[in-house]
């Protein structure tokens, strides 16, 4: 569906993106992750044909973005970082205009506008001038604008920026609902968002692709161990005893009553630890499991980038 | 072609939803009313008084030159300033608001963008010129005269306006600051006349001839005198095409530059 090969974009002698290649299949929902300035927006701009790369190629539905831009643009709905709004139009007229620009047949225009208004819950403000809307509503109009032509591919650059939590959840539901009908690429900094809606993750760091995999693989990849946080009543050092339980990798006594225990990821070890606490009558007050989540993967890949992380 | 129509329609209606257009129409109407009635009055005094007529040159005794030409020159003057003001919202302001990204990611070519915006701009100029012609048509009801030279002059002024439009649109494509686009547009429009005026400063016969051939003054003057040449039309269309072409190139190149 989307194939990107050795994409490079330089500004002067700085690399905005450096040799990025990936492939996205039909129906995928892809989360494009990376810290600020990683090159997410740049990658998206190239795929949408807004910008040309310094070198490399991008293909959408088999059409090269630069040789056949019109075919590509017909199939893409794009929400840029700044929603491209005409501030002195009404929401409805604006969406109608976008539909027409995207070459949707005249018959379908009206129904497309209706359903986009519906999906982004903009019906109440349809006759308002966009200039007078709040930031969150403008963002929603931006999302509606990307959806309105019912494109095969949706490219959303930080779609939930500026929205209130309820709206964020609703956009998430919307994306889940759109799954299957569209291939979606979205960029974001919010990891829970990616976990909630995406089935594939691409992480970019300093212009380089450092990870491109499905969500399940990533979670498996980084889960050889789990951390247990335990709080007991007894203020006697139990570290030594904990260490003797098989499967425990390390124990860290945070304060007299609290421990952080790294264990191998299996239930038997957890059970053994709990049994031990009960037997010693230490008085278990609290226990929580810190699973290795996406955030750890993300942070370890981008911030404290070690050799090991690069290998992944 | 449908895309051109869609953008044209949106831009054209957009002009009417901005207060700017109404301000311009207002200013134009006030000025037209004042100069036209004064022109007619002076002309009437001149005709009714045999004394004045003796020293006057024949052009002053012709309503076409004495009243209408003056009237239409005002249209030209207004166009010099109105066109860049109208054009600045077409591209520069779009870039500023980022709505330009929508056009750049829609299935349309740069040519379609330029063409539709250009057409909407000259349509508005046409509307302003119609305002000016209302006065002339009413004069036709009262006096007997040949309207044809005046219509030809009007066409000439409109063509000059169309040249301003292409230059102002080009200016608008250069920047994402509407004010800068406006100023560049005015400079280009005035530059057109300054360039034509250069002919008076050279004594070199060949240079003089060349400048006259490629300046609007000469071609417009021919039309004012009632001479219609296809070479004039070709001349105007070539300048218009040249600036529209530059404009299209600038838009296309924005993909390569940083946005
Ligand atoms: N017009 C420009 N001129 C020079 N450098 C630029 C320009 N636009 C972007 N860059 C650089 O390109 C790099 C990638 O930018 P990009 O906008 O793609 O980042 P991003 O991943 O979208 O970041 P964010 O999360 O902040 O949106 C950055 O280092 C940025 O400084
Ligand atoms: Mg970005």
């Amino acid at each position: 569906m989307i194939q990107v090969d050795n994409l490079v974009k330089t500004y002067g002698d700085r690399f905005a993106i450096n040799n990025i290649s990936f492939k996205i299949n039909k129906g995928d929902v892809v989360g494009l992750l990376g810290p600020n300035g990683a090159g997410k927006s740049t990658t998206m701009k190239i795929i949408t044909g807004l910008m040309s790369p310094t070198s490399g190629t991008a293909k959408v539905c088999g059409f090269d973005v630069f040789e056949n831009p019109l075919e590509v643009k017909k199939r893409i709905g794009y929400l840029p970082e700044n929603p491209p709004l005409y501030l002195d139009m009404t929401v409805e007229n604006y969406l109608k205009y976008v539909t027409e620009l995207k070459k949707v047949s005249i018959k379908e225009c009206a129904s497309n506008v209706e359903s986009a208004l519906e999906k982004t819950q903009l019906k109440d403000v349809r006759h308002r001038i966009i200039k007078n809307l709040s930031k969150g509503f403008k963002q929603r109009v931006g999302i509606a604008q990307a959806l309105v032509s019912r494109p095969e591919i949706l490219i959303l650059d930080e779609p939930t920026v500026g929205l209130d939590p309820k709206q964020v959840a609703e956009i998430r539901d919307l994306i889940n609902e759109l799954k299957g009908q569209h291939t979606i690429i979205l960029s974001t900094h919010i990891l829970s968002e990616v976990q909630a809606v995406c089935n594939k993750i691409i992480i970019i760091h300093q212009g380089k692709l450092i990870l491109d995999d499905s969500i399940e693989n990533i979670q498996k990849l980084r889960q050889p161990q789990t951390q247990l946080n335990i709080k007991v009543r007894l203020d006697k050092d139990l570290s030594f005893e904990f260490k003797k339980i098989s499967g425990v990798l390390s124990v860290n006594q945070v304060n007299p009553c609290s421990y952080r225990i790294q264990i191998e990821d299996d239930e038997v070890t957890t059970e053994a630890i709990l049994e031990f606490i009960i037997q010693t009558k230490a008085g278990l007050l609290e226990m929580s499991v810190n699973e290795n989540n996406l955030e750890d993967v993300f942070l370890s890949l981008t911030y404290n980038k070690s050799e090991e992380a690069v290998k992944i | 072609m449908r895309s051109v129509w869609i953008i044209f329609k949106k831009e054209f209606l957009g002009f009417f939803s901005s207060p700017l257009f109404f301000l311009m129409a207002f200013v134009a109407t006030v000025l037209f009313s004042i100069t036209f009635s004064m022109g007619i009055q002076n002309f009437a005094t001149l005709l009714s008084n045999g004394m004045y007529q003796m020293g006057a040159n024949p052009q002053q005794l012709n309503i076409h030159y004495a009243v209408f030409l003056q009237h239409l020159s005002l249209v030209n003057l207004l166009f010099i300033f109105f066109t860049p003001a109208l054009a600045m919202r077409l591209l520069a302001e779009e870039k500023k608001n980022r709505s330009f990204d929508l056009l750049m990611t829609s299935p349309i070519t740069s040519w379609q963008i330029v063409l539709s915006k250009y057409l909407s701009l000259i349509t508005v100029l046409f509307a302003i010129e119609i305002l000016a012609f209302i006065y002339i048509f009413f004069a036709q009801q009262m006096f007997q005269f040949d309207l044809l030279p005046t219509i030809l002059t009007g066409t000439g002024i409109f063509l000059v306006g169309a040249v301003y439009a292409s230059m102002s649109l080009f200016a608008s494509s250069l920047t994402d600051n509407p004010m800068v686009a406006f100023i560049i547009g005015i400079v280009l429009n005035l530059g057109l006349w300054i360039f034509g005026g250069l002919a008076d400063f050279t004594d070199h016969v060949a240079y003089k001839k060349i400048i006259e051939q490629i300046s609007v003054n000469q071609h417009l003057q021919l039309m004012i005198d009632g001479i219609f040449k296809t070479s004039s039309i070709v001349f105007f269309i070539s300048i218009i095409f040249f600036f529209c072409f530059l404009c299209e190139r600038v838009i296309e190149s924005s993909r390569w530059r940083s946005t």
Side-chain angles (χ1 to χ4, degrees):
Chain A
M1 199 78 180
I2 300 177
Q3 178 138 19
V4 169
D5 288 312
N6 307 320
L7 223 49
V8 176
K9 174 79 189 178
T10 54
Y11 288 110
D13 51 4
R14 302 189 38 162
F15 284 90
I17 57 174
N18 192 351
N19 214 357
I20 285 188
S21 312
F22 57 80
K23 190 166 171 254
I24 292 169
N25 297 321
K26 196 172 161 64
D28 276 350
V29 179
V30 181
L32 201 55
L33 278 170
N36 288 128
K40 304 180 294 291
S41 302
T42 308
T43 310
M44 290 180 150
K45 281 181 192 166
I46 292 173
I47 297 173
T48 54
L50 186 59
M51 194 188 256
S52 31
T54 312
S55 70
T57 58
K59 279 203 174 115
V60 174
C61 303
F63 296 103
D64 190 284
V65 173
F66 315 100
E67 280 156 19
N68 238 326
L70 299 193
E71 289 299 325
V72 170
K73 287 172 186 176
K74 236 189 275 181
R75 292 171 166 78
I76 289 184
Y78 173 47
L79 170 71
E81 286 179 298
N82 313 74
L85 306 175
Y86 288 101
L87 298 178
D88 49 13
M89 286 175 104
T90 64
V91 173
E92 188 171 358
N93 283 343
Y94 169 69
L95 291 178
K96 214 177 274 168
Y97 179 56
V98 177
T99 328
E100 288 174 336
L101 270 186
K102 295 277 179 176
K103 305 215 161 134
V104 174
S105 71
I106 298 169
K107 281 187 302 218
E108 292 168 20
C109 278
S111 69
N112 275 17
V113 170
E114 274 317 305
S115 75
L117 285 171
E118 175 106 40
K119 281 176 182 160
T120 48
Q121 299 173 346
L122 285 168
K123 286 202 151 176
D124 296 337
V125 297
R126 64 196 298 167
H127 297 302
R128 297 265 302 271
I129 305 281
I130 296 177
K131 187 165 40 189
N132 303 335
L133 296 178
S134 71
K135 176 160 166 40
F137 272 88
K138 283 184 186 145
Q139 181 71 15
R140 277 200 250 170
V141 177
I143 296 172
Q145 164 273 136
L147 294 178
V148 78
S149 58
R150 300 184 203 257
E152 290 171 50
I153 297 166
L154 269 177
I155 297 189
L156 309 173
D157 201 343
E158 302 186 22
T160 52
V161 142
L163 299 182
D164 61 50
K166 182 160 170 287
Q167 268 306 310
V168 171
E170 267 157 13
I171 294 300
R172 219 173 266 176
D173 293 344
L174 175 61
I175 292 173
N176 273 325
E177 190 184 313
L178 294 172
K179 253 185 206 171
Q181 312 164 37
H182 308 258
T183 305
I184 305 175
I185 307 182
L186 55 98
S187 83
T188 173
H189 303 122
I190 307 169
L191 293 141
S192 58
E193 196 165 284
V194 174
Q195 270 173 317
V197 299
C198 299
N199 60 12
K200 192 176 149 113
I201 293 189
I202 292 175
I203 299 185
I204 300 179
H205 181 53
Q206 294 180 345
K208 290 209 174 75
L209 187 96
I210 54 176
L211 189 134
D212 171 7
D213 213 335
S214 73
I215 271 222
E216 299 89 44
N217 283 350
I218 290 166
Q219 277 162 345
K220 263 187 232 143
L221 200 66
R222 297 287 303 180
Q223 269 191 9
Q225 41 180 270
T226 306
Q227 179 182 302
L228 288 184
N229 298 324
I230 285 174
K231 194 174 172 195
V232 292
R233 197 188 307 280
L234 192 70
D235 59 346
K236 180 183 142 204
D237 193 352
L238 297 170
S239 307
F240 190 68
E241 279 82 356
F242 281 138
K243 269 188 196 141
K244 281 198 289 206
I245 300 169
S246 80
V248 172
L249 301 171
S250 70
V251 179
N252 181 7
Q253 191 175 20
V254 186
N255 63 41
C257 305
S258 310
Y259 301 87
R260 231 178 254 151
I261 307 176
Q262 296 287 340
I263 59 170
E264 263 169 25
D265 188 32
D266 65 66
E267 288 162 353
V268 184
T269 316
T270 316
E271 212 180 322
I273 290 174
L274 289 182
E275 223 155 75
F276 167 76
I277 294 173
I278 291 164
Q279 274 169 11
T280 50
K281 299 223 162 46
L284 181 64
L285 295 179
E286 238 178 75
M287 185 192 101
S288 63
V289 183
N290 256 7
E291 262 181 274
N292 234 332
N293 58 14
L294 201 55
E295 198 140 2
D296 301 325
V297 181
F298 179 66
L299 291 177
S300 72
L301 283 176
T302 54
Y303 291 99
N304 28 8
K305 249 179 71 174
S306 58
E307 285 300 298
E308 170 217 22
V310 176
K311 253 193 309 200
I312 296 163
Chain B
M1 225 47 218
R2 189 178 149 221
S3 311
V4 173
W5 167 244
I6 288 161
I7 303 178
F8 169 81
K9 198 172 62 179
K10 185 229 155 223
E11 296 299 349
F12 184 66
L13 295 177
F15 283 127
F16 293 100
S17 69
S18 81
L20 188 66
F21 175 77
F22 291 98
L23 182 70
M24 285 177 178
F26 174 72
V27 170
T29 318
V30 169
L31 290 178
F32 288 157
S33 308
I34 295 172
T35 58
F36 191 74
S37 44
M38 271 168 47
I40 289 275
Q41 202 169 26
N42 291 344
F43 188 62
T45 329
L46 194 65
L47 288 190
S48 62
N49 194 323
M51 281 294 281
Y52 290 148
Q53 284 181 34
M54 285 206 283
N57 76 40
Q59 285 204 348
Q60 279 176 291
L61 296 177
N62 181 332
I63 192 166
H64 172 60
Y65 288 98
V67 182
F68 301 148
L69 181 57
Q70 241 186 36
H71 185 61
L72 291 175
S73 311
L74 179 64
V75 176
N76 180 29
L77 186 70
L78 292 177
F79 277 177
I80 291 181
F81 297 96
F82 283 5
T83 323
L86 291 165
M88 70 184 183
R89 69 192 294 282
L90 291 177
L91 292 170
E93 203 171 289
E94 284 226 27
K95 286 193 198 176
K96 191 177 123 206
N97 289 342
R98 293 331 213 110
S99 54
F100 199 59
D101 291 355
L102 175 66
L103 292 179
M104 296 300 277
T105 55
S106 293
I108 45 178
T109 62
S110 311
W111 266 115
Q112 288 172 324
I113 298 178
V114 173
L115 184 64
S116 49
K117 302 221 165 199
Y118 181 72
L119 290 178
S120 70
L121 186 54
I122 58 174
T123 312
V124 173
L125 295 187
F126 189 72
I128 294 176
E129 186 151 351
I130 290 290
L131 278 184
F133 261 90
I134 292 175
Y135 294 83
I136 294 169
F137 288 138
F138 273 101
Q140 170 85 352
Q141 306 287 306
M142 293 183 270
F143 321 116
Q144 285 301 311
F145 55 85
D146 185 7
L147 198 58
L148 208 63
T150 309
I151 295 210
L152 197 57
T153 307
T155 313
I157 301 267
F158 177 70
L159 284 172
V160 174
V163 171
Y164 296 152
S166 66
M167 295 196 298
S168 304
L169 196 65
F170 168 63
S172 187
S173 73
L174 291 176
T175 162
D176 55 7
N177 182 331
M179 217 47 223
V180 172
F182 177 62
I183 291 165
I184 298 177
I186 289 183
V187 168
L188 284 175
N189 292 350
L190 289 174
L192 198 65
W193 293 104
I194 294 169
F195 179 75
L198 285 181
D200 296 337
F201 289 102
T202 71
D203 293 327
H204 200 290
V205 184
Y207 287 162
K208 213 179 174 79
K209 224 36 246 131
I210 293 172
I211 293 176
E212 278 176 357
Q213 275 307 309
I214 57 172
S215 74
V216 286
N217 308 39
Q218 196 65 17
H219 291 280
L220 185 59
Q221 191 57 50
L222 283 176
M223 294 184 88
I224 290 170
D225 293 337
I227 305 162
F228 182 80
K229 279 190 176 172
T230 30
S231 71
S232 302
I233 298 290
V234 171
F235 168 75
F236 283 118
I237 302 231
S238 333
I239 311 189
I240 291 169
F241 183 78
F242 175 69
F243 279 101
C244 286
F245 173 74
L246 287 186
C247 185
E248 190 270 343
R249 286 290 90 197
V250 173
I251 291 178
E252 196 53 33
S253 75
S254 68
R255 294 181 212 274
W256 277 269
R257 287 177 291 123
S258 46
T259 37

